[in-house]
Every structure is written in C-alpha cells, then in structure tokens.
C-alpha cells in the first residue's frame, strides 16, 4: 500500500491547475446510460472513483475510451441489468446508475452502495422518488431490485430531505419518463447544474435547476453531444485551505467565475485570507495575510452554504490559529474520523456532539497517521504541511479517489511531498 511523506513547515507558493469536478463527472458518466448516441466528455479527472464508474459502465456494455481527461462513450444495450457488489462497493456514486437504467430499460439490480465511512448514508430518498414515478423495489441479498411496468411516469416528487444524489438520480430518470416530473426540495449544488446542462445538451427538457424546484419534461429519446465538465470546487477549496494553514501565495488556474465567487463567499469569515479573482474569475489569487486571532463559528450546510466536503480540511487549517473556533457538521452524522488523527499530531480539538471545538496551539508535530476517508486524507496533508518534522500518511488510496496528481501539484509549489510504495 502506498503512503505519503511530507516535510512540514514550508509555505505554498506557485500556480495550481484545478482539475475537472469529480462530483460532476460521476453523475454525468452515469447519465451516458440514457442514450446510445456517441458522447464526448472532456475535463474528466483521472481518479480512482472515475475508473470505478468507467468499469461499472463497461460491465453494462458501454464502450468507453478514456485518455487525456476525455471520454468517448457509446452506451449499447446491456446483456444483463445486474450490477455486482464488487463494482458498487467502492463508491456510493455507483447508485446513480439506477435512475438511468430504470428509465431506459425498466429494470435494474444494483447492489446497495459502499463509499466513505462518514455515516449510514441510506438511499431511501432515491427509492421513495422512483416509487412516486411508478417503480417497485425489492431488497434482496444486499441488492436493490427495481422494476417499472411500462415507463416511469412523471409526478411531483418532494424530497423529505435535501439530497444531492437523489436529486441527480431522479432528474436523470425523469428525462425519459412519460410526462412532467417536478422535484421539490431539490439540491442546488453547482454539480447538479452541470448535470442538467449536460442533459439539456443531449436533448432533455429541464428547467429550474439550481433552485429548489426542478421541472423535467420527459422525452422519447436523447441525442449525442460534446461537453466539458466544470472545475472541481472542493479540490480548489482544499488548496485555499492549504494556503490558510501553512501560509504562502498561490494562483488557482482552470476555474470559472462561479467557482471563484463561491470560494470567496464561503471563505469570507477567514479574515486572514486574501482571495482575489483574476481573468474574469478563471483564476483565483490566494494569499495568507497578517496574523490575527481567529474565532470562527462555521456550520456545514447544503449549497450555497459551507460544504461538508471541506469540513475536515477547514478543521486542519485552523489548528494553529490563535483563538477558539467551532465547526458544526450538519450533513453527515459521523464525519469526524480526522479529529483523533489530528490530535495525535498535537492539535487541541474536542468533539462535542456534532461540533468540533478548536483551541489554536502554537505548533503541531509530524506523526504517522491514517487516512480514513477521502476528505479526511486531504485534511491530513494540510496538517502535514503545517507540522514540524515529517508526517507519514497511510491508506492514501482514499486520497486517490478524489485528488488528481496532488503530490505533483504540491511539489510544483515548493512542498516536500513524496509517495512511497511499500
Ligand atoms: C454528495 C457528494 C458528497 C457530498 C454530499 C453532500 C457526490 C458523488 N457526492 O453525496 O461528496 O459530501 O453530496 O454534499 O456528489 N440521505 C438520506 N437518504 C438518502 C440519501 C441521502 O438520508 O436516500 C442523507 C445522507 O445520509 C446525508 C444527507 O442525506 O446525511 C445528504 O446526502 P446526499 O446529499 O445524498 O449526499 P450524496 O449525494 O451521497
């Protein structure tokens, strides 16, 4: 198993090219099951999760060429509509193929998903929505078996809780359903807008995306297109927090105006950070400025609030800031595995229910630590950059699920980071 070694105490200085968004690529790849026409999708990051989704699509008779961050795809009729546990267990986003399969073929058997160890993460909201559209489900031997008599029927589907994945799954299913589907209490994440833009480009009729009410008029069939995936706002936000944690000056490249505005907004409480748009928001200048006490109160929220996917990284970036801060996790009930690892490096953190209390310390120290999930692993990199001495991070396969070429990107900014194969 690979591990990462970091020599801490160096400032981050240079330029970083942000990759395409993992969380937009995964649903868009799942959506390619909706048509047998040729699709070309660019700016797809080369990540373990993307390879898992590609393997899954190939198992369903989809032809895919993937090189230089671009996928050429043609989804042919599969021989079997059963997707095995082996393909689904690695990544929860695999469940996003259920909507496209049910709506195009009227049947699907998908293993209950695995994914990050950050809570129970059920799929009831997805299934309730499909049932409203006429699907029937059985759960047998760890599989969700879904069946539709004829075609899915458009309906009003009100999500009992805002869910990114359920919004995406239902939106995809509705594109080929009979009639109009209205998703109420829908998630508004930019990745949902990217998916809707892709679906409209292949001929779907979707309105209201980016708001809490999405209206989809079902079509008989969908067409071909070329599409470019949006930049990864979570990757970009992770680099911003690296600069906040270990100081320096960085220019983030290959982003867009919306992502720049979003980052400026969510990080506005960090007064020791300068964020400035360049080239109409296609670049973002990031600089750590004068030392002030930091006494933050941040709660994770659905978009446009502070993303849960940056909670662990924010925690790490604050452990050496003078003052007391508080981060409340509202989206997942158990996203705190990083806390004990950070404490092993000398951080003064207390977990109180769903709140992390941070008491800034003068120094933290390199240690051998373990990555427990995707974002917890980038949080340990931030801590490693801030620590005195060497940090060794084990189980970095979590990191490879979501960060493209992270060592290279950091090495280019002067950081001493290497990957060691054991
Ligand atoms: C997506 C993102 C993930 C991010 C999360 C929240 C992708 C591939 N993943 O995950 O990185 O952390 O949004 O922004 O885009 N829930 C239920 N029942 C369901 C579905 C969800 O109770 O059927 C709960 C979850 O347990 C969680 C909350 O709803 O507490 C939000 O989850 P959801 O928005 O669905 O997250 P994902 O789509 O899995």
């Amino acid at each position: 198993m690979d591990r990462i070694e970091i020599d801490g105490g160096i400032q981050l200085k240079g330029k970083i090219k942000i990759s395409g968004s993992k969380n937009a690529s995964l649903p868009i790849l799942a959506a390619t099951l909706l048509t047998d026409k040729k699709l070309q999708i660019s700016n797809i990051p080369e990540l373990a999760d993307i390879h898992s989704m590609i393997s899954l699509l190939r198992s369903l008779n989809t032809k895919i060429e993937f090189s230089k961050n671009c996928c050429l795809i043609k989804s042919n009729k599969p021989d079997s509509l059963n997707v095995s546990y082996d393909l689904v267990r690695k990544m929860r986003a695999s469940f996003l193929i259920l909507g496209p399969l049910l709506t195009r073929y009227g049947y699907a058997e998908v293993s209950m998903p695995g994914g990050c160890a950050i809570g129970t993460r059920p799929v009831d909201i997805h299934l309730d929505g499909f049932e409203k559209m006429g699907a029937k489900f059985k759960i047998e031997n760890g599989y969700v078996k879904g069946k539709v008599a004829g075609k899915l029927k458009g309906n009003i589907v009100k999500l009992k809780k805002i869910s990114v994945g359920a919004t995406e799954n239902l939106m995809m299913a509705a594109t080929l359903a009979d009639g109009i589907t209205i998703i109420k209490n829908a998630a508004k994440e930019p990745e949902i807008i990217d998916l809707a833009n892709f679906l409209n480009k292949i001929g779907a009729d979707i309105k209201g995306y980016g708001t809490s009410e999405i209206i989809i008029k079902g079509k008989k069939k969908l067409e071909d297109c070329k599409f470019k995936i949006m930049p990864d706002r979570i990757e970009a936000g992770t680099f911003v927090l690296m600069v906040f944690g270990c100081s320096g000056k960085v220019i983030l490249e290959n982003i867009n105006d919306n992502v720049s505005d979003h980052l400026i907004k969510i990080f506005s409480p960090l007064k020791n950070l300068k964020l400035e748009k360049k080239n109409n928001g296609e670049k973002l200048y990031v600089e750590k400025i004068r030392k002030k006490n930091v006494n933050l109160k941040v709660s994770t929220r659905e978009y446009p609030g502070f993303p849960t996917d940056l909670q662990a990284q924010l925690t790490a970036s604050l452990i050496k800031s003078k003052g007391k801060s508080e981060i409340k996790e509202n989206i997942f009930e158990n996203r705190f595995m990083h806390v004990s690892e950070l404490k092993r490096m000398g951080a003064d953190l207390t977990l109180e229910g769903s709140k992390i209390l941070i008491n800034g310390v003068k120094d933290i120290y390199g240690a051998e630590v373990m990555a427990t999930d995707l974002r917890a692993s980038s949080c340990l990199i931030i801590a490693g950059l801030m620590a005195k001495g060497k940090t060794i991070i084990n189980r970095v396969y979590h990191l490879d699920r979501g960060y493209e070429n992270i060592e290279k990107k950091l090495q280019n900014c002067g950081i001493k980071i290497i990957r060691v194969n054991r």
Side-chain angles (χ1 to χ4, degrees):
M1 250 192 275
D2 292 0
R3 63 190 209 180
I4 278 183
E5 297 185 1
I6 303 171
D7 286 332
I10 300 171
Q11 295 191 356
L12 203 63
K13 284 192 177 149
K15 294 178 179 170
I16 301 175
K17 276 204 170 89
I18 298 304
S19 297
S21 161
K22 167 181 89 76
N23 285 355
S25 300
L26 291 171
I28 288 173
L29 285 170
T32 64
L33 289 168
L34 290 166
T35 174
D36 62 359
K37 296 290 188 305
K38 283 189 180 153
L39 302 164
Q40 182 180 320
I41 305 168
S42 58
N43 207 28
I44 298 183
E46 176 93 43
L47 297 169
D49 274 11
I50 298 294
H51 285 289
S52 298
M53 182 59 92
I54 288 176
S55 304
L56 200 160
L57 295 176
R58 284 189 176 134
S59 79
L60 291 164
N61 202 17
T62 295
K63 302 286 170 245
I64 306 187
E65 284 170 35
F66 182 32
S67 80
K68 297 190 180 142
N69 299 104
C70 184
C71 272
L72 298 176
I73 305 184
K74 184 172 181 324
S75 167
N76 301 314
K77 191 165 191 246
D79 302 324
S80 156
L81 291 163
N82 171 302
V83 179
S84 77
Y85 173 65
D86 220 34
L87 288 167
V88 179
R89 77 184 160 82
K90 294 182 186 150
M91 179 184 65
R92 182 180 162 83
S94 315
F95 205 67
L96 293 173
I97 61 167
L98 187 60
L101 289 181
L102 279 180
T103 200
R104 187 162 162 206
Y105 302 110
Y107 185 79
E109 285 186 27
V110 181
S111 168
M112 292 289 274
C116 284
I118 59 175
T120 49
R121 302 185 84 177
V123 288
D124 52 326
I125 304 173
H126 302 237
L127 300 186
D128 289 352
F130 293 133
E131 276 174 349
K132 272 256 162 164
M133 297 174 74
K136 298 261 182 289
F137 291 99
K138 274 196 298 191
I139 312 236
E140 263 177 17
N141 312 324
Y143 279 80
V144 176
K145 300 184 177 179
K147 212 174 179 173
V148 185
K151 292 193 79 182
L152 285 173
K153 305 265 180 305
N155 202 346
I156 296 176
V157 180
K158 182 161 187 216
L159 309 188
K160 64 179 178 201
K161 180 177 180 185
I162 298 176
S163 158
V164 174
T167 303
E168 292 167 342
N169 226 342
L170 292 163
M171 193 163 78
M172 291 188 278
T175 58
L176 291 175
D178 269 344
I180 294 176
T181 303
I182 301 178
I183 307 174
K184 295 189 177 224
N185 200 29
K188 302 177 208 159
E189 267 64 6
E191 293 76 15
I192 290 174
I193 299 179
D194 220 36
L195 172 64
N197 284 333
F198 169 78
L199 293 169
N200 279 342
K201 214 165 174 194
I202 57 173
D205 181 348
I206 307 178
K207 299 198 168 71
Y209 47 93
T211 77
S212 57
E213 186 166 303
I214 304 179
I215 302 158
I216 308 120
K217 202 167 156 189
K219 290 286 182 87
K220 291 259 176 305
K221 62 186 182 66
L222 299 171
E223 302 303 330
D224 54 357
C225 84
K226 287 185 183 172
F227 189 81
K228 183 174 177 197
I229 300 282
M230 66 171 280
D232 197 312
R233 67 189 166 103
I234 303 300
E235 187 203 13
T238 301
F239 286 119
V240 171
L241 290 171
M242 283 185 188
V243 175
F244 184 73
C246 77
S247 288
K249 293 178 191 176
V250 152
I251 294 183
L252 303 180
E253 299 182 333
N254 282 18
I255 53 175
N256 65 27
D257 200 34
N258 288 340
V259 169
S260 288
D261 282 341
H262 171 58
L263 295 175
I264 289 170
K265 180 175 168 282
I266 61 168
F267 292 128
S268 61
L270 299 180
K271 302 293 176 214
N272 296 357
L273 192 66
K274 181 172 169 188
L275 293 180
E276 222 171 69
K277 290 201 279 185
K278 307 269 176 204
N279 290 34
N280 303 319
E282 281 169 15
K283 294 183 185 181
L284 186 68
Y285 175 78
V286 188
E287 184 185 349
K288 175 80 181 275
I289 48 174
R290 69 193 173 279
K291 288 191 178 168
K292 271 194 207 165
N293 278 17
V294 179
N295 296 294
L296 274 187
K297 271 195 178 181
V298 173
S299 288
T300 61
R301 300 261 175 233
E302 292 88 0
Y303 189 86
F306 192 89
T308 173
D309 285 354
L310 288 172
Q311 179 259 102
Q313 301 90 311
L314 178 65
T315 307
S317 73
L318 285 167
I319 51 189
K320 279 174 63 182
S321 293
K322 207 168 172 197
K324 289 185 197 297
S325 295
E326 213 177 279
I327 306 179
K328 187 161 187 302
E329 172 57 55
N330 286 311
I331 308 295
F332 293 108
E333 76 274 20
N334 188 25
R335 199 166 205 178
F336 305 111
M337 310 270 266
H338 50 292
V339 170
S340 51
E341 294 304 292
L342 293 174
K343 280 166 90 167
R344 297 186 59 244
M345 298 175 72
D348 182 353
L349 304 176
T350 312
L351 198 53
E352 214 173 64
S354 59
K355 263 188 215 158
I356 304 170
L357 309 179
I358 305 161
N359 189 9
V361 291
K362 191 160 178 295
D363 278 313
I364 58 163
Y365 301 91
E368 186 155 351
V369 289
M370 199 168 68
T372 48
D373 68 59
L374 167 54
R375 306 303 168 185
S377 43
S378 56
C379 132
L380 293 175
I381 291 199
I382 298 180
L385 297 175
M386 294 164 69
K388 280 196 164 157
K390 191 187 279 297
T391 296
I392 297 169
I393 306 174
N394 293 300
R395 298 206 180 163
V396 291
Y397 53 85
H398 289 293
L399 195 68
D400 298 332
R401 290 187 49 209
Y403 291 92
E404 191 178 44
N405 296 328
I406 189 160
E407 303 105 88
K408 235 337 184 341
K409 290 182 185 186
L410 290 174
Q411 283 159 2
N412 289 343
C413 291
I415 300 297
K416 289 191 179 156
I417 176 169
I418 52 163
R419 181 179 290 247
V420 182
N421 296 98
R422 282 204 290 189

